[in-house]
Amino acid sequence: MNASPRRLLKAAAVAIGLLAGAGAWAQTAICYNCPPEWADWGSQLRAIKAKTGITVPPDNKNSGQTLAQLVAEKASPVADIAYFGVTFGIQAKKEGVTAAYKPAGWAEIPDGLKDPDGHWFTIHSGTLGFMVNVDALKGKPVPRSWADLLKPEYKGLVGYLDPASAFVGYVGAVAVNSARGGNLDNFGPAIEWFKALKKNEPIVPKQTSYARVLSGEIAILLDYDFNAYRAKYKDKANVEFVIPAEGTVVVPYVMSAVARGPNTANGHKALDFILSNEGQAIWANAFLRPVRTSAISKEAQANFLPASEYARARTIDYGRMAEVQKAFSDRYLREAQ
Amino acid sequence: MTRRRRHHQGRVDAPVLLALTVAVTLFTVLPMLLSVSAGLTNNFSRGLASGLTTRWIAEVWALYGATAWRSLLLALACVVVALLVGVPCAWALARSRSRAARLFEELLTLPVAVPGLATALALILAYGQLRGFRQSFAFILVGHVVFTLPFMVRTVSAAFARDDLQSLDEAARSLGARFVQRFLGVLVPAVAPSIVAGSLMVFTLSVGEFNLTWMLHTPLTRTLPVGLADSYASMRIEIGSAYTLVFFIVILPMLWGMQALARWIENAHGSSPGPRR
Amino acid sequence: MLLAACVAPAAVVFAAFWLLPMVELALLPATKGAATYFAVLTEPRYLQSLVQTTLLSAAVTLVALAIAAAVGLYLGRRSFAGRRLLLAVLTLPLSFPGVIVGFFVILVGGRQGPVAGFTEALVGERITFAYGITGLFLAYVYFSLPRAIASFTAVAERMEHELEEAARSLGARRWHLVRDVWWPALQPTALAVGAILFATAMGAFGTAFTLASRYEVLPITIYNEFTNYANFALAASLSLALGLMTWAVLFAARRFGAATVGAGA
């Protein structure tokens, strides 16, 4: 009847849609969680394009969203590479969404910071602390310890990323936990601290909030040293980084090649670049600690806080951290939200 | 006739209603104005004193410009599909007395009740393996169609259910017109205002759709609302505002154009009891 | 026969792209055990989220309906220069994604916003309302008003005035007008629009996501489960619960509307 021309039209529409989508695939690698405003991924993506010709579109997911999306798309992945905190990398391997790949420069990565089979590997690490917009404090003293943040004078000024979905959120919880006497088997101190912090009406975003600190919307954010240094030295904001007096942790961020991604070869090239001298130097210039320490220049090093401050930052058992993450997330959502 | 009545209206409870209307207008408009001005100032926290600039708009256009066209085209495609699929369906549901029809009508409204995240997840799990489909705009289009179809069907079937239409249809049939002729020549024009209203609704819903699209999109098929969410979360407030301004500039002409078209069709078909904007 | 052919394309699209996938999704919780379906009832946190969402949506719907009815009554029965423009402006937010509304609330009620500056000048403290229940409520009302205003204005334009004029001439007080003249005329529209407002508010995700609100709504809870090590079974179970609750309220509203429909449905 009049059904056939209609069906034809619909088929045509779908075909056009498919073509439009397909055309964009030339020389592309899809990355999940490459936000331009985090760790200066913007520069890294531009460099990848310039040096290898591969376009990697930016993506604003956080680590939890990345893992969830990868698992949802397991049957036919959309992404080629993924970036997340180390515990999510470990979990991703368990879920079977990663592929083994050992980029050039593999040998230089310390053993504890890579999966022996190549399913994930550290590209850089950071130390967690307070990223403080001094101007936004409007005269109040810069907090120096975890205990300081609980003081009523900081009401409405504190923010932290959601510990249940963002890796940096989870790291903040682990950091305050170990600083206040807990360990990976006992998250009591962390839960107590978050509960106490609730009185200060913290802001809890789910995705990277670098710009909100610069604008003064969030005066004190639990974030990494590299984001704070970048704000201070690159964006010339009046931002200070504080390593809390009670101590904190250093954590690696890892990348994985996604299993059966659409552009595997391009993804590998991108990973190779990220681990190359040039790629690692970009992280160093962005104030991260590149995993290949040979890439840090003296100038970049000079901008970090003195080593005496960093003595309070410790590494922990990342494998165990991954194992207890889900239980902690559940507990946080239940008790401290 | 209605106009004459309106002029006798002076005795409507003016003060309270007027006050409320003014308050609502301010409530609606002030944030829009604030956002527009924030997108044009150099520094939001210092306000207008820091000077006006168009650099944020330029930056937004470079970063996110493509999302505007994607969303527009997606919305138009959604309207086309909703029309092709929904109008015949609306007629059938308006005419049918069967329980199956009522059940189907009920089912059609379910996508509105279920959260977009769930519908999107369901689509990915069901069709994610078809790689070409998954990575194309058709994937997002399908989600939009399923979500907006009940609005089109409900609006148009209400118009199709009018009794005078039945008699028109009967008259045409007794004159020997075949179904296609009757449908395209008599029925559709008679409900043209409703069809346009439905199309406007579908377009509006599609352009602003976020819940579904957020999960269905890929970094290469980002739409405007998804881009907006990204910019609000991680970019400067000035960039977020400039992006919002770009949204206005792109969407408003389309909306007003379609509304003007709606009024024109309404006038061309004489006064009809269809919903008016 | 003819009717079936006309419904067929819609039925195919709906079945293929919603019904079948949803059935698959509905079976997901079973993979973690049948008890997962009742997670919303057994886990206090989920139940609280569901209750909070329902209460918020109901409150927003009622407030939006009341305000929009007033505005609709005013605009629908007056004619003045710029009326059409005003209506267009008031219904503009219909095209906004929820994230824009969340952004507006942060702009106005966040730490950098005019309200904070105002309260600082007044009481010396920057008061922000964007991140709590107030901000969320205002945001939801913001995107609910336009739809209701559009509908009520349309109805008011077609309202018969003899009844009201008769009532007035008999000396009816304002309250009686509202109860006996306006309410019956507006009720069908109120129910229809209220249903849409309620459903939209229940499923709204973008606004709460942008606001990072302290008041947890179920769509955000679903997101939390989704990103918490890809816990799809629980996310699916909560989605079903949300869908069921919304559909139940819509169903009840339709029944109530059908039962009370008098002349002029």
Side-chain angles (χ1 to χ4, degrees):
Chain A
M1 255 187 269
N2 48 4
S4 355
R6 215 175 293 136
R7 276 207 209 102
L8 209 60
L9 266 166
K10 239 196 321 167
V14 173
I16 294 175
L18 285 173
L19 281 172
W25 282 110
Q27 287 302 82
T28 307
I30 299 293
C31 171
Y32 273 176
N33 194 4
C34 291
E37 293 300 311
W38 169 274
D40 205 9
W41 263 106
S43 301
Q44 186 75 242
L45 296 179
R46 277 192 294 275
I48 294 180
K49 175 90 199 273
K51 291 295 152 72
T52 65
I54 298 175
T55 309
V56 181
D59 182 69
N60 257 37
K61 297 187 183 40
N62 64 27
S63 298
Q65 279 167 245
T66 302
L67 179 63
Q69 201 83 18
L70 286 176
V71 173
E73 293 161 357
K74 202 166 159 182
S76 180
V78 170
D80 302 296
I81 56 180
Y83 167 79
F84 27 37
V86 62
T87 58
F88 284 96
I90 295 173
Q91 184 65 19
K93 181 185 177 189
K94 279 212 196 98
E95 300 270 4
V97 293
T98 55
Y101 179 64
K102 299 186 183 176
W106 175 263
E108 267 188 68
I109 305 178
D111 280 332
L113 294 176
K114 65 189 176 192
D115 172 64
D117 303 319
H119 282 266
W120 53 265
F121 45 89
T122 304
I123 59 170
H124 57 231
S125 43
T127 306
L128 190 97
F130 308 158
M131 180 177 170
V132 184
N133 183 331
V134 181
D135 288 338
L137 283 180
K138 301 220 193 281
K140 297 203 177 96
V142 173
R144 298 275 161 210
S145 65
W146 294 108
D148 275 347
L149 290 182
L150 299 179
K151 293 196 188 137
E153 63 189 302
Y154 296 116
K155 183 164 177 201
L157 297 172
V158 184
Y160 61 92
L161 258 62
D162 179 24
S165 63
F167 182 61
V168 57
Y170 180 45
V171 172
V174 170
V176 69
N177 190 47
S178 65
R180 286 166 75 86
N183 55 49
L184 287 175
D185 295 308
N186 168 29
F187 272 100
I191 299 284
E192 289 313 311
W193 187 84
F194 280 117
K195 282 200 334 223
L197 188 62
K198 259 167 84 166
K199 290 192 210 69
N200 271 351
E201 292 178 9
I203 302 172
V204 188
K206 308 228 183 261
Q207 289 178 311
T208 170
S209 296
Y210 177 79
R212 291 206 207 178
V213 179
L214 267 94
S215 74
E217 187 68 31
I218 303 179
I220 305 165
L221 181 68
L222 300 190
D223 205 347
Y224 294 109
D225 49 353
F226 51 80
N227 283 329
Y229 294 150
R230 180 163 151 246
K232 183 168 179 175
Y233 298 115
K234 289 267 173 67
D235 290 327
K236 307 275 188 269
N238 189 0
V239 165
E240 198 184 320
F241 180 67
V242 175
I243 298 188
E246 303 99 324
T248 182
V249 295
V250 179
V251 286
Y253 270 79
V254 310
M255 289 197 78
S256 300
V258 176
R260 290 169 299 125
N263 310 289
T264 323
N266 286 346
H268 287 174
K269 286 207 202 100
L271 289 175
D272 285 337
F273 180 81
I274 292 171
L275 223 45
S276 70
N277 284 340
E278 241 191 293
Q280 293 283 296
I282 293 180
W283 300 132
N285 289 333
F287 309 106
L288 295 108
R289 287 185 197 285
V291 68
R292 294 179 53 216
T293 44
S294 48
I296 301 189
S297 67
K298 284 252 170 20
E299 298 83 12
Q301 185 64 44
N303 283 323
F304 281 71
L305 287 177
S308 52
E309 298 282 311
Y310 275 93
R312 295 197 292 277
R314 280 169 268 116
T315 62
I316 48 175
D317 180 354
Y318 303 121
R320 184 93 190 104
M321 195 176 155
E323 279 166 31
V324 300
Q325 179 167 7
K326 179 111 191 357
F328 168 73
S329 298
D330 288 340
R331 191 173 168 196
Y332 170 81
L333 288 171
R334 226 192 344 252
E335 297 182 32
Q337 233 210 144
Chain B
M1 201 178 305
T2 333
R3 271 219 188 95
R4 226 190 301 143
R5 283 204 193 283
R6 278 218 207 106
H7 285 170
H8 290 284
Q9 265 341 299
R11 297 219 42 238
V12 170
D13 251 339
V16 170
L17 298 185
L18 172 63
L20 263 169
T21 307
V22 168
V24 167
T25 310
L26 288 175
F27 178 67
T28 307
V29 166
L30 284 179
M32 292 192 227
L33 291 176
L34 186 60
S35 163
V36 166
S37 79
L40 294 171
T41 39
N42 261 311
N43 190 321
F44 180 61
S45 32
R46 286 210 297 276
L48 285 167
S50 59
L52 295 177
T53 173
T54 55
R55 68 177 169 137
W56 303 124
I57 299 192
E59 232 180 287
V60 163
W61 196 254
L63 280 170
Y64 298 111
T67 61
W69 306 127
R70 288 191 201 132
S71 278
L72 274 182
L73 289 175
L74 205 50
L76 286 172
C78 189
V79 169
V80 167
V81 175
L83 280 173
L84 291 176
V85 166
V87 172
C89 176
W91 179 79
L93 288 179
R95 290 294 229 96
S96 167
R97 305 257 170 271
S98 72
R99 295 189 61 174
R102 299 284 81 79
L103 178 66
F104 185 62
E105 231 175 337
E106 194 71 41
L107 280 178
L108 261 188
T109 65
L110 283 181
V112 181
V114 172
L117 203 61
T119 306
L121 182 59
L123 271 174
I124 292 182
L125 292 177
Y127 294 106
Q129 306 94 290
L130 307 172
R131 185 161 272 180
F133 180 40
R134 165 75 185 97
Q135 285 160 179
S136 70
F137 283 105
F139 204 61
I140 304 182
L141 179 63
V142 152
H144 283 206
V145 165
V146 144
F147 176 71
T148 56
L149 197 55
F151 292 90
M152 174 71 87
V153 167
R154 184 109 54 102
T155 309
V156 177
S157 94
F160 269 136
R162 289 199 333 257
D163 294 322
D164 50 321
L165 260 183
Q166 289 251 52
S167 27
L168 257 176
D169 193 30
E170 283 303 320
R173 196 197 324 205
S174 65
L175 288 173
R178 282 180 10 261
F179 175 69
V180 183
Q181 284 177 302
R182 291 191 337 255
F183 191 74
L184 291 177
V186 175
L187 293 171
V188 166
V191 297
S194 289
I195 291 186
V196 177
S199 307
L200 199 55
M201 214 182 302
V202 169
F203 181 82
T204 307
L205 285 170
S206 170
V207 133
E209 214 296 312
F210 177 75
N211 299 343
L212 273 164
T213 323
W214 184 73
M215 256 209 79
L216 292 179
H217 84 283
T218 73
L220 288 176
T221 56
R222 239 179 358 173
T223 62
L224 207 148
V226 174
L228 276 170
D230 279 352
S231 76
Y232 294 151
S234 43
M235 297 285 183
R236 294 183 64 138
I237 227 172
E238 292 87 351
I239 293 203
S241 306
Y243 200 176
T244 313
L245 182 56
V246 165
F247 171 76
F248 289 158
I249 296 176
V250 166
I251 296 302
L252 283 180
M254 283 294 311
L255 282 181
W256 286 336
M258 290 182 79
Q259 279 172 346
L261 179 67
R263 273 194 308 277
W264 180 82
I265 292 191
E266 208 177 280
N267 292 334
H269 279 82
S271 64
S272 87
R276 250 192 280 171
R277 278 294 179 97
Chain C
M1 220 356 46
L2 202 60
L3 296 183
C6 280
V7 173
V12 164
V13 166
F14 180 75
F17 296 119
W18 197 84
L19 206 55
L20 285 161
M22 275 318 276
V23 166
E24 243 186 85
L25 190 76
L27 295 173
L28 257 186
T31 58
K32 288 252 176 88
T36 323
Y37 285 106
F38 302 100
V40 76
L41 296 173
T42 53
E43 175 77 37
R45 166 163 75 88
Y46 300 151
L47 190 59
Q48 182 184 8
S49 185
L50 178 63
V51 167
Q52 278 179 189
T53 316
T54 311
L55 287 177
L56 176 68
S57 306
V60 167
T61 303
L62 291 174
V63 168
L65 283 178
I67 298 180
V71 174
L73 278 171
Y74 185 80
L75 289 178
R77 307 190 304 163
R78 290 184 150 262
S79 170
F80 53 84
R83 174 179 166 273
R84 194 165 277 148
L85 177 64
L86 182 60
L87 254 178
V89 164
L90 286 178
T91 55
L92 180 58
L94 275 173
S95 59
F96 293 176
V99 292
I100 287 190
V101 183
F103 179 63
F104 280 176
V105 172
I106 295 184
L107 256 188
V108 173
R111 285 205 72 78
Q112 306 298 107
V115 171
F118 186 64
T119 57
E120 190 176 34
L122 217 61
V123 295
E125 194 193 328
R126 292 188 89 88
I127 300 186
T128 63
F129 61 80
Y131 303 109
I133 174 75
T134 316
L136 199 61
F137 181 78
L138 288 174
Y140 276 42
V141 167
Y142 190 91
F143 67 63
S144 302
L145 274 176
R147 194 179 303 285
I149 289 179
S151 299
F152 279 128
T153 311
V155 169
E157 276 172 0
R158 281 176 274 131
M159 253 170 75
E160 295 299 331
H161 305 296
E162 298 103 349
L163 210 57
E164 177 174 349
E165 280 166 17
R168 276 184 197 277
S169 64
L170 288 173
R173 304 201 56 102
R174 194 180 304 160
W175 164 242
H176 289 145
L177 268 176
V178 171
R179 190 192 60 190
D180 299 325
V181 179
W182 287 349
W183 172 238
L186 297 176
Q187 188 196 27
T189 311
L191 274 171
V193 164
I196 298 183
L197 292 186
F198 183 78
T200 311
M202 287 288 277
F205 169 69
T207 312
F209 182 70
T210 307
L211 280 175
S213 183
R214 282 192 292 275
Y215 188 81
E216 187 177 341
V217 290
L218 201 53
I220 294 290
T221 312
I222 297 174
Y223 162 89
N224 283 340
E225 287 309 321
F226 179 69
T227 56
N228 186 11
Y229 273 19
N231 196 347
F232 294 163
L234 216 38
S237 159
L238 293 175
S239 302
L240 291 174
L242 182 60
L244 212 59
M245 175 64 105
T246 310
W247 177 84
V249 173
L250 294 185
F251 187 73
R254 260 201 303 277
R255 275 281 171 277
F256 183 66
T260 58
V261 81

